[in-house]
Coordinates of all heavy atoms in Angstrom, one line a residue:
M30 N 93.8 103.1 113.9 CA 95.3 103.0 113.9 C 95.8 103.3 112.5 O 95.3 102.8 111.5 CB 95.6 101.5 114.3 CG 97.1 101.3 114.4 SD 97.4 99.6 115.0 CE 98.1 98.9 113.6
N31 N 96.9 104.1 112.4 CA 97.5 104.5 111.2 C 98.6 103.4 110.8 O 99.5 103.2 111.6 CB 98.2 105.9 111.2 CG 97.1 107.0 111.3 OD1 96.0 106.8 110.7 ND2 97.4 108.1 111.9
V32 N 98.4 102.8 109.7 CA 99.4 101.8 109.3 C 100.3 102.4 108.2 O 99.8 102.9 107.2 CB 98.7 100.5 108.7 CG1 99.7 99.5 108.2 CG2 97.8 99.9 109.7
P33 N 101.6 102.4 108.4 CA 102.5 103.0 107.4 C 102.4 102.2 106.1 O 102.1 101.1 106.0 CB 103.9 102.8 108.0 CG 103.7 102.4 109.4 CD 102.3 101.8 109.5
P34 N 102.8 102.9 105.0 CA 102.8 102.2 103.6 C 103.8 101.0 103.7 O 104.7 101.0 104.4 CB 103.3 103.3 102.7 CG 103.2 104.6 103.4 CD 103.2 104.3 104.9
V35 N 103.5 100.0 102.8 CA 104.3 98.8 102.8 C 105.8 99.1 102.6 O 106.6 98.4 103.3 CB 103.8 97.9 101.7 CG1 104.7 96.7 101.5 CG2 102.4 97.3 102.1
P36 N 106.2 99.9 101.7 CA 107.7 100.1 101.6 C 108.3 100.6 102.9 O 109.4 100.2 103.2 CB 107.8 101.2 100.5 CG 106.6 101.0 99.7 CD 105.5 100.7 100.6
G37 N 107.6 101.4 103.6 CA 108.1 101.8 104.9 C 108.2 100.6 105.9 O 109.2 100.5 106.7
L38 N 107.2 99.8 105.9 CA 107.2 98.6 106.8 C 108.4 97.6 106.4 O 109.0 97.1 107.3 CB 105.9 97.8 106.7 CG 104.7 98.6 107.3 CD1 103.4 97.8 106.9 CD2 104.8 98.7 108.8
L39 N 108.6 97.5 105.1 CA 109.6 96.6 104.7 C 111.0 97.1 105.1 O 111.9 96.3 105.4 CB 109.6 96.4 103.1 CG 108.4 95.7 102.6 CD1 108.5 95.7 101.0 CD2 108.4 94.2 103.0
G40 N 111.1 98.4 105.3 CA 112.4 98.9 105.7 C 112.7 98.6 107.2 O 113.8 98.9 107.7
L41 N 111.7 98.1 107.9 CA 111.9 97.8 109.4 C 112.5 96.5 109.6 O 112.9 96.2 110.7 CB 110.5 98.0 110.1 CG 109.9 99.3 110.1 CD1 108.5 99.3 110.7 CD2 110.8 100.3 110.8
D42 N 112.4 95.6 108.6 CA 113.0 94.2 108.9 C 114.4 94.2 108.5 O 115.0 95.1 107.9 CB 112.1 93.1 108.2 CG 112.2 93.2 106.7 OD1 113.2 93.7 106.2 OD2 111.2 92.7 106.1
H43 N 115.0 93.1 108.9 CA 116.4 92.9 108.5 C 116.6 91.4 108.1 O 116.0 90.5 108.6 CB 117.3 93.1 109.7 CG 118.7 92.7 109.5 ND1 119.6 93.4 108.8 CD2 119.4 91.6 109.9 CE1 120.8 92.8 108.7 NE2 120.7 91.7 109.4
F44 N 117.4 91.2 107.0 CA 117.6 89.8 106.5 C 119.1 89.5 106.6 O 119.9 90.2 106.0 CB 117.1 89.7 105.1 CG 116.9 88.2 104.7 CD1 115.7 87.6 104.8 CD2 118.0 87.5 104.2 CE1 115.6 86.3 104.4 CE2 117.9 86.2 103.8 CZ 116.7 85.6 103.9
E45 N 119.4 88.4 107.3 CA 120.8 88.0 107.3 C 121.0 87.0 106.2 O 120.5 85.9 106.2 CB 121.1 87.3 108.7 CG 122.6 87.1 109.0 CD 123.3 88.5 109.1 OE1 122.8 89.4 109.6 OE2 124.5 88.5 108.6
V46 N 121.8 87.4 105.2 CA 122.0 86.6 104.0 C 123.0 85.5 104.2 O 124.0 85.7 104.8 CB 122.4 87.5 102.8 CG1 122.7 86.7 101.6 CG2 121.4 88.6 102.5
D47 N 122.6 84.3 103.7 CA 123.5 83.2 103.7 C 124.1 83.1 102.3 O 123.5 82.5 101.4 CB 122.8 81.9 104.1 CG 123.8 80.7 104.2 OD1 124.9 80.8 103.8 OD2 123.3 79.6 104.7
R48 N 125.3 83.7 102.1 CA 125.8 83.7 100.7 C 126.3 82.4 100.2 O 126.3 82.1 99.0 CB 127.0 84.7 100.7 CG 126.5 86.1 101.1 CD 127.4 87.2 100.6 NE 127.0 88.5 101.1 CZ 126.0 89.2 100.6 NH1 125.3 88.7 99.6 NH2 125.6 90.3 101.2
D49 N 126.7 81.5 101.1 CA 127.1 80.2 100.7 C 126.0 79.2 100.4 O 126.2 78.2 99.7 CB 128.0 79.5 101.8 CG 129.3 80.4 102.0 OD1 129.7 81.0 101.0 OD2 129.8 80.4 103.1
H50 N 124.8 79.5 100.9 CA 123.7 78.6 100.8 C 122.4 79.4 100.7 O 121.6 79.4 101.6 CB 123.6 77.6 102.0 CG 122.7 76.5 101.8 ND1 122.1 75.8 102.9 CD2 122.3 75.8 100.7 CE1 121.4 74.9 102.5 NE2 121.5 74.8 101.2
P51 N 122.2 80.1 99.6 CA 121.0 80.9 99.4 C 119.7 80.0 99.5 O 119.7 78.9 99.1 CB 121.1 81.5 98.0 CG 122.3 81.0 97.4 CD 123.0 80.1 98.4
H52 N 118.7 80.6 100.2 CA 117.5 79.8 100.4 C 116.5 79.8 99.2 O 115.5 79.1 99.2 CB 116.8 80.3 101.7 CG 116.0 81.6 101.5 ND1 116.6 82.8 101.3 CD2 114.7 81.8 101.6 CE1 115.7 83.7 101.3 NE2 114.5 83.2 101.4
I53 N 116.8 80.6 98.2 CA 116.0 80.6 97.0 C 116.9 80.3 95.8 O 118.0 80.9 95.6 CB 115.3 81.9 96.7 CG1 114.4 82.3 97.9 CG2 114.5 81.9 95.4 CD1 113.8 83.7 97.8
A54 N 116.5 79.3 95.0 CA 117.3 79.0 93.7 C 116.3 78.7 92.7 O 115.2 78.0 92.9 CB 118.2 77.8 94.0
I55 N 116.6 79.1 91.4 CA 115.7 78.9 90.3 C 116.3 78.0 89.3 O 117.5 78.2 89.0 CB 115.3 80.3 89.7 CG1 114.5 81.1 90.7 CG2 114.5 80.1 88.4 CD1 114.3 82.6 90.2
D56 N 115.6 77.0 88.9 CA 116.0 76.2 87.7 C 115.6 77.0 86.5 O 114.4 77.0 86.1 CB 115.4 74.8 87.8 CG 115.9 73.9 86.6 OD1 116.2 74.4 85.5 OD2 116.0 72.7 86.8
H57 N 116.6 77.7 85.9 CA 116.2 78.6 84.8 C 115.7 77.8 83.5 O 114.9 78.4 82.8 CB 117.4 79.5 84.4 CG 117.7 80.5 85.5 ND1 116.9 81.5 85.8 CD2 118.7 80.5 86.4 CE1 117.4 82.2 86.8 NE2 118.5 81.6 87.2
D58 N 116.1 76.6 83.3 CA 115.6 75.9 82.2 C 114.1 75.6 82.3 O 113.3 75.8 81.4 CB 116.4 74.5 82.0 CG 117.8 74.7 81.5 OD1 118.0 75.8 80.9 OD2 118.6 73.8 81.8
V59 N 113.7 75.2 83.5 CA 112.3 74.9 83.8 C 111.5 76.2 83.8 O 110.5 76.4 83.1 CB 112.1 74.2 85.1 CG1 110.6 74.0 85.4 CG2 112.8 72.9 85.1
C60 N 112.1 77.2 84.4 CA 111.4 78.6 84.5 C 111.2 79.1 83.2 O 110.1 79.6 82.9 CB 112.3 79.5 85.4 SG 111.8 81.2 85.4
E61 N 112.1 79.1 82.3 CA 112.0 79.8 81.0 C 111.3 79.0 79.9 O 111.0 79.5 78.9 CB 113.4 80.2 80.6 CG 114.0 81.3 81.5 CD 115.5 81.5 81.4 OE1 116.1 81.1 80.4 OE2 116.1 82.1 82.3
T62 N 111.1 77.7 80.2 CA 110.4 76.9 79.2 C 109.0 76.5 79.6 O 108.2 76.3 78.7 CB 111.2 75.6 78.9 OG1 111.4 74.9 80.0 CG2 112.5 75.9 78.2
R63 N 108.7 76.5 80.9 CA 107.4 76.0 81.3 C 106.5 77.1 81.9 O 105.3 76.9 82.0 CB 107.5 74.9 82.4 CG 108.1 73.6 81.8 CD 107.7 72.5 82.7 NE 108.8 71.5 82.8 CZ 109.1 70.8 83.8 NH1 108.4 70.8 84.9 NH2 110.1 69.9 83.8
C64 N 107.0 78.2 82.3 CA 106.2 79.2 83.0 C 105.6 80.2 82.0 O 106.4 80.8 81.2 CB 107.0 79.9 84.0 SG 106.0 81.1 85.0
T65 N 104.3 80.4 82.0 CA 103.7 81.4 81.1 C 103.2 82.6 81.9 O 103.0 83.7 81.3 CB 102.5 80.8 80.3 OG1 101.6 80.2 81.3 CG2 103.0 79.7 79.4
Q66 N 103.0 82.5 83.2 CA 102.3 83.6 83.9 C 103.3 84.4 84.7 O 103.0 85.6 85.0 CB 101.3 83.0 84.9 CG 100.2 82.2 84.1 CD 99.0 82.1 84.9 OE1 99.0 82.2 86.1 NE2 97.9 81.8 84.2
R67 N 104.5 83.9 85.0 CA 105.5 84.7 85.7 C 104.9 85.3 87.0 O 105.0 86.5 87.3 CB 106.1 85.8 84.8 CG 106.6 85.3 83.5 CD 108.0 85.6 83.3 NE 108.7 84.5 82.7 CZ 110.0 84.4 82.5 NH1 110.7 85.4 82.7 NH2 110.5 83.3 82.0
S68 N 104.2 84.4 87.7 CA 103.5 84.9 88.9 C 104.4 85.5 90.0 O 104.0 86.3 90.7 CB 102.7 83.7 89.5 OG 101.9 83.1 88.6
C69 N 105.6 85.0 90.1 CA 106.5 85.5 91.1 C 106.7 87.0 91.0 O 106.9 87.7 92.0 CB 107.9 84.8 91.0 SG 108.7 85.1 89.5
L70 N 106.6 87.6 89.8 CA 106.7 89.0 89.7 C 105.6 89.8 90.3 O 105.8 91.0 90.5 CB 106.9 89.4 88.2 CG 108.1 88.8 87.5 CD1 108.0 89.1 86.0 CD2 109.4 89.3 88.1
T71 N 104.5 89.2 90.5 CA 103.3 89.9 91.0 C 102.9 89.5 92.4 O 102.3 90.3 93.2 CB 102.1 89.8 90.1 OG1 101.9 88.4 89.9 CG2 102.4 90.5 88.8
V72 N 103.2 88.2 92.8 CA 102.6 87.7 94.1 C 103.5 88.1 95.3 O 103.1 88.1 96.4 CB 102.3 86.2 94.1 CG1 101.3 85.9 93.0 CG2 103.6 85.4 94.0
C73 N 104.8 88.3 95.0 CA 105.7 88.5 96.2 C 105.5 89.9 96.8 O 105.7 90.9 96.1 CB 107.2 88.3 95.7 SG 108.4 88.7 97.0
P74 N 105.2 89.9 98.1 CA 104.9 91.2 98.7 C 106.2 92.1 98.9 O 106.1 93.3 99.1 CB 104.3 90.9 100.1 CG 104.9 89.5 100.3 CD 105.0 88.8 99.0
A75 N 107.3 91.5 98.7 CA 108.6 92.2 98.9 C 109.4 92.5 97.6 O 110.5 92.9 97.7 CB 109.5 91.4 99.9
D76 N 108.7 92.2 96.5 CA 109.4 92.4 95.2 C 110.8 91.7 95.1 O 111.7 92.3 94.6 CB 109.5 93.9 94.9 CG 108.2 94.5 94.6 OD1 107.2 93.8 94.1 OD2 108.0 95.7 94.8
V77 N 110.8 90.5 95.6 CA 112.1 89.8 95.6 C 112.5 89.4 94.2 O 113.7 89.4 93.8 CB 112.0 88.5 96.4 CG1 113.1 87.5 96.2 CG2 112.0 88.8 97.9
Y78 N 111.6 89.2 93.3 CA 111.9 88.7 91.9 C 111.8 89.8 90.9 O 110.9 90.6 90.9 CB 110.9 87.6 91.5 CG 110.9 86.4 92.4 CD1 110.1 86.3 93.5 CD2 111.9 85.4 92.2 CE1 110.1 85.2 94.4 CE2 111.9 84.3 93.1 CZ 111.1 84.2 94.1 OH 111.1 83.1 95.0
T79 N 112.8 89.9 90.1 CA 112.8 90.9 89.0 C 113.3 90.1 87.7 O 113.9 89.0 87.8 CB 113.8 92.0 89.2 OG1 115.1 91.5 89.6 CG2 113.3 92.9 90.4
E80 N 112.9 90.7 86.6 CA 113.3 90.0 85.3 C 114.3 90.9 84.6 O 114.2 92.1 84.5 CB 112.0 89.9 84.5 CG 112.2 89.1 83.2 CD 110.9 88.9 82.5 OE1 109.9 89.3 82.9 OE2 111.0 88.2 81.5
H81 N 115.4 90.2 84.2 CA 116.4 90.9 83.4 C 116.7 90.1 82.1 O 117.1 89.0 82.2 CB 117.7 91.0 84.2 CG 117.6 91.7 85.5 ND1 117.6 93.1 85.5 CD2 117.5 91.3 86.8 CE1 117.5 93.5 86.8 NE2 117.4 92.5 87.6
E82 N 116.3 90.7 81.0 CA 116.5 90.1 79.7 C 115.9 88.7 79.7 O 116.5 87.7 79.2 CB 118.0 90.1 79.3 CG 118.5 91.5 79.2 CD 120.0 91.6 78.8 OE1 120.6 90.5 78.9 OE2 120.5 92.7 78.6
G83 N 114.7 88.5 80.2 CA 114.0 87.2 80.2 C 114.3 86.3 81.3 O 113.7 85.2 81.4
R84 N 115.3 86.6 82.1 CA 115.7 85.7 83.2 C 115.2 86.3 84.6 O 115.4 87.5 84.8 CB 117.2 85.6 83.2 CG 117.7 84.7 84.4 CD 119.0 84.0 84.0 NE 118.7 82.9 83.0 CZ 119.5 81.9 82.7 NH1 120.7 81.8 83.3 NH2 119.2 81.0 81.8
I85 N 114.6 85.4 85.4 CA 114.2 85.9 86.7 C 115.3 85.8 87.7 O 116.0 84.8 87.8 CB 113.0 84.9 87.2 CG1 111.8 85.0 86.2 CG2 112.6 85.3 88.6 CD1 111.1 86.4 86.2
I86 N 115.5 86.9 88.4 CA 116.6 87.0 89.4 C 116.0 87.3 90.8 O 115.3 88.3 90.9 CB 117.6 88.1 89.0 CG1 118.1 88.0 87.6 CG2 118.8 88.1 90.0 CD1 118.9 86.7 87.3
P87 N 116.3 86.4 91.8 CA 115.7 86.7 93.1 C 116.8 87.5 94.0 O 117.9 87.2 93.9 CB 115.6 85.3 93.7 CG 116.6 84.4 93.0 CD 116.9 85.1 91.7
D88 N 116.2 88.5 94.7 CA 117.0 89.2 95.7 C 116.7 88.6 97.0 O 115.8 89.0 97.7 CB 116.7 90.7 95.6 CG 117.4 91.5 96.7 OD1 118.3 90.9 97.4 OD2 117.0 92.6 96.9
T89 N 117.5 87.6 97.4 CA 117.1 86.8 98.6 C 117.1 87.7 99.9 O 116.4 87.4 100.9 CB 118.1 85.7 98.8 OG1 119.4 86.2 98.9 CG2 118.0 84.7 97.7
A90 N 117.9 88.8 99.9 CA 118.0 89.6 101.1 C 116.7 90.4 101.4 O 116.5 91.0 102.4 CB 119.1 90.6 100.9
A91 N 115.7 90.4 100.4 CA 114.5 91.1 100.7 C 113.3 90.2 101.1 O 112.2 90.6 101.4 CB 114.0 91.8 99.4
C92 N 113.6 88.9 101.2 CA 112.5 87.9 101.4 C 112.0 88.0 102.8 O 112.7 88.2 103.8 CB 113.1 86.5 101.2 SG 111.9 85.2 101.4
L93 N 110.6 87.8 102.9 CA 109.9 87.9 104.2 C 109.6 86.4 104.7 O 109.0 86.3 105.8 CB 108.6 88.6 104.1 CG 108.7 90.1 103.6 CD1 107.4 90.7 103.3 CD2 109.5 90.9 104.6
E94 N 110.0 85.4 103.9 CA 109.7 84.0 104.3 C 108.2 83.7 104.4 O 107.8 82.9 105.3 CB 110.5 83.6 105.5 CG 112.0 83.8 105.4 CD 112.8 83.5 106.7 OE1 112.2 82.7 107.5 OE2 113.9 84.0 106.8
C95 N 107.4 84.3 103.6 CA 106.0 84.1 103.6 C 105.6 82.8 102.9 O 104.5 82.2 103.2 CB 105.2 85.3 103.1 SG 105.4 85.5 101.3
G96 N 106.3 82.4 101.9 CA 106.1 81.1 101.2 C 105.1 81.3 100.0 O 104.8 80.3 99.3
T97 N 104.7 82.5 99.7 CA 103.7 82.7 98.6 C 104.3 82.2 97.3 O 103.6 81.6 96.5 CB 103.3 84.1 98.6 OG1 102.8 84.5 99.8 CG2 102.2 84.3 97.5
C98 N 105.5 82.5 97.0 CA 106.1 82.2 95.7 C 106.2 80.7 95.5 O 106.1 80.2 94.4 CB 107.5 82.8 95.6 SG 108.6 82.3 96.9
V99 N 106.3 79.9 96.6 CA 106.4 78.5 96.5 C 105.1 77.9 96.0 O 105.1 77.0 95.2 CB 106.8 77.9 97.9 CG1 106.9 76.4 97.8 CG2 108.0 78.5 98.4
I100 N 104.0 78.5 96.4 CA 102.7 78.1 95.9 C 102.5 78.5 94.5 O 101.9 77.8 93.7 CB 101.6 78.6 96.8 CG1 101.8 78.0 98.2 CG2 100.2 78.3 96.3 CD1 101.0 78.6 99.3
A101 N 102.9 79.7 94.1 CA 102.6 80.3 92.8 C 103.4 79.8 91.7 O 103.0 79.8 90.5 CB 102.7 81.8 92.9
C102 N 104.6 79.4 92.0 CA 105.6 79.0 91.0 C 105.2 77.6 90.4 O 104.6 76.8 91.0 CB 107.0 78.9 91.6 SG 108.3 78.7 90.4
V103 N 105.7 77.4 89.1 CA 105.4 76.1 88.5 C 106.3 75.0 89.1 O 107.4 75.3 89.6 CB 105.7 76.2 87.0 CG1 104.8 77.2 86.3 CG2 107.1 76.4 86.7
P104 N 105.8 73.8 89.2 CA 106.5 72.7 89.8 C 108.0 72.6 89.3 O 108.2 72.7 88.1 CB 105.7 71.5 89.5 CG 104.3 72.0 89.2 CD 104.5 73.3 88.6
E105 N 108.9 72.4 90.2 CA 110.3 72.1 89.9 C 111.1 73.3 89.4 O 112.3 73.1 89.2 CB 110.4 70.9 88.9 CG 109.8 69.6 89.4 CD 109.7 68.6 88.3 OE1 110.4 68.7 87.3 OE2 108.9 67.6 88.5
A106 N 110.5 74.4 89.3 CA 111.3 75.6 88.8 C 112.0 76.3 90.0 O 113.0 76.9 89.8 CB 110.4 76.6 88.1
L107 N 111.3 76.2 91.2 CA 111.8 76.9 92.3 C 112.3 76.0 93.4 O 111.5 75.1 93.8 CB 110.7 77.8 92.8 CG 111.1 78.8 93.9 CD1 112.1 79.9 93.4 CD2 109.8 79.5 94.4
S108 N 113.5 76.2 94.0 CA 113.9 75.5 95.2 C 113.9 76.6 96.3 O 114.6 77.6 96.2 CB 115.3 75.0 94.9 OG 115.9 74.5 96.1
W109 N 113.1 76.3 97.3 CA 113.0 77.3 98.4 C 113.0 76.5 99.7 O 112.4 75.5 99.9 CB 111.6 78.0 98.3 CG 111.5 79.2 99.1 CD1 111.6 80.5 98.8 CD2 111.1 79.2 100.5 NE1 111.3 81.3 99.8 CE2 111.0 80.6 100.9 CE3 110.8 78.3 101.5 CZ2 110.7 81.0 102.2 CZ3 110.5 78.6 102.8 CH2 110.5 80.0 103.1
H110 N 113.8 77.0 100.7 CA 113.7 76.4 102.0 C 113.9 77.5 103.0 O 114.5 78.6 102.7 CB 114.8 75.3 102.2 CG 116.2 75.9 102.0 ND1 117.0 76.5 103.0 CD2 117.0 75.9 100.9 CE1 118.1 76.9 102.6 NE2 118.2 76.6 101.3
Y111 N 113.5 77.3 104.3 CA 113.8 78.3 105.3 C 115.3 78.5 105.4 O 116.0 77.5 105.4 CB 113.2 77.9 106.6 CG 111.7 78.2 106.6 CD1 110.8 77.1 106.6 CD2 111.2 79.5 106.7 CE1 109.4 77.3 106.6 CE2 109.8 79.7 106.7 CZ 108.9 78.6 106.7 OH 107.6 78.9 106.6
P112 N 115.8 79.7 105.6 CA 117.2 79.9 105.8 C 117.7 79.1 107.0 O 117.0 78.9 108.0 CB 117.3 81.4 106.0 CG 116.1 82.0 105.4 CD 115.0 81.0 105.6
D113 N 119.0 78.7 106.9 CA 119.6 77.9 108.0 C 120.0 78.8 109.2 O 120.5 79.9 109.0 CB 120.8 77.2 107.4 CG 120.4 76.2 106.3 OD1 119.3 75.7 106.3 OD2 121.3 75.9 105.5
G114 N 120.0 78.2 110.3 CA 120.6 78.7 111.5 C 120.3 80.2 111.8 O 119.1 80.5 112.0
T115 N 121.3 81.0 111.9 CA 121.1 82.4 112.3 C 120.7 83.3 111.1 O 120.7 84.5 111.2 CB 122.3 83.0 113.0 OG1 123.4 82.8 112.1 CG2 122.6 82.2 114.3
H116 N 120.5 82.7 109.9 CA 120.2 83.5 108.7 C 118.7 83.7 108.6 O 117.9 83.1 109.3 CB 120.8 82.8 107.5 CG 122.2 82.6 107.5 ND1 122.8 81.4 107.9 CD2 123.3 83.4 107.3 CE1 124.1 81.5 107.9 NE2 124.4 82.8 107.5
G117 N 118.3 84.6 107.7 CA 116.9 84.8 107.4 C 116.4 86.2 108.0 O 117.2 87.0 108.4
V118 N 115.1 86.3 107.9 CA 114.5 87.6 108.2 C 114.4 87.8 109.8 O 114.1 86.8 110.5 CB 113.1 87.7 107.5 CG1 112.1 86.8 108.2 CG2 112.6 89.2 107.6
Q119 N 114.5 89.0 110.2 CA 114.3 89.4 111.6 C 113.3 90.5 111.6 O 113.6 91.5 110.9 CB 115.6 89.8 112.2 CG 116.6 88.6 112.3 CD 118.0 89.2 112.7 OE1 118.2 90.3 113.1 NE2 119.0 88.4 112.4
Y120 N 112.2 90.4 112.3 CA 111.2 91.5 112.4 C 111.5 92.3 113.7 O 111.6 91.7 114.8 CB 109.8 90.9 112.4 CG 109.5 90.2 111.1 CD1 109.5 88.8 111.0 CD2 109.1 90.9 110.0 CE1 109.2 88.2 109.8 CE2 108.8 90.4 108.8 CZ 108.8 89.0 108.7 OH 108.5 88.4 107.5
R121 N 111.6 93.5 113.5 CA 112.0 94.4 114.7 C 110.8 94.8 115.5 O 111.0 95.2 116.7 CB 112.7 95.6 114.2 CG 114.0 95.3 113.5 CD 114.7 96.5 112.9 NE 115.8 96.1 112.1 CZ 116.6 96.8 111.4 NH1 116.4 98.1 111.4 NH2 117.6 96.4 110.8
Y122 N 109.6 94.6 115.0 CA 108.4 95.0 115.8 C 107.4 93.8 115.7 O 106.4 93.9 115.1 CB 107.8 96.3 115.2 CG 108.6 97.5 115.5 CD1 109.4 97.9 114.4 CD2 108.7 98.1 116.7 CE1 110.2 99.0 114.6 CE2 109.5 99.2 116.9 CZ 110.3 99.6 115.8 OH 111.1 100.7 116.0
G123 N 107.8 92.7 116.3 CA 106.8 91.6 116.4 C 106.9 90.6 115.2 O 107.6 90.7 114.3
Ligands
SF4_17 S1 106.8 81.9 88.8 FE1 108.5 80.4 89.0 S2 108.7 79.6 87.0 FE2 107.4 81.4 86.7 S3 108.9 83.1 86.2 FE3 108.7 83.0 88.5 S4 110.4 81.7 89.2 FE4 110.1 81.3 87.0
SF4_18 S1 108.7 83.7 100.5 FE1 107.3 85.5 100.2 S2 108.7 87.3 100.5 FE2 110.0 85.5 100.1 S3 110.4 85.5 97.9 FE3 108.6 84.2 98.3 S4 106.8 85.5 98.1 FE4 108.6 86.8 98.3

């Protein structure tokens, strides 16, 4: 079976963003003082996290809801919950 490259697969899903209640929030004080590995930049399969001038910014609309970043992040730096109601990721092929 031929499996398409990951960027192509990511283009098949859809994420309904909850702008009033984002499902990812970072405590920047904790993030910038306690984290040495910046694991979110490498473990997220969807490249949700990017760094701008030392600050980590999540693009919640790209999230696959896999939960990997929750495990990799330092305690208390990341607030993550499944999106509410009709928000969140929708997979078009299973
Ligand atoms: S892993 Fe968590 S604490 Fe570390 S840079 Fe990413 S968001 Fe910040
Ligand atoms: S839940 Fe998965 S896809 Fe979403 S931000 Fe975390 S690692 Fe990335």
Side-chain angles (χ1 to χ4, degrees):
M30 184 172 111
N31 289 330
V32 178
V35 170
L38 291 172
L39 292 174
L41 296 175
D42 67 27
H43 170 76
F44 195 96
E45 194 65 36
V46 176
D47 186 349
R48 301 201 183 282
D49 295 330
H50 192 207
H52 75 293
I53 300 173
I55 296 172
D56 183 325
H57 292 290
D58 287 338
V59 176
C60 172
E61 290 163 20
T62 57
R63 288 200 220 151
C64 184
T65 57
Q66 300 202 339
R67 308 238 137 185
S68 304
C69 61
L70 297 174
T71 53
V72 301
C73 176
D76 290 334
V77 164
Y78 299 94
T79 53
E80 185 173 4
H81 298 282
E82 299 179 350
R84 178 149 288 194
I85 300 294
I86 307 295
D88 173 12
T89 56
C92 182
L93 304 172
E94 300 176 24
C95 70
T97 307
C98 58
V99 181
I100 297 168
C102 189
V103 301
E105 299 169 18
L107 187 66
S108 171
W109 192 101
H110 62 84
Y111 283 109
D113 297 334
T115 56
H116 301 98
V118 71
Q119 297 167 15
Y120 294 101
R121 297 179 186 174
Y122 294 98

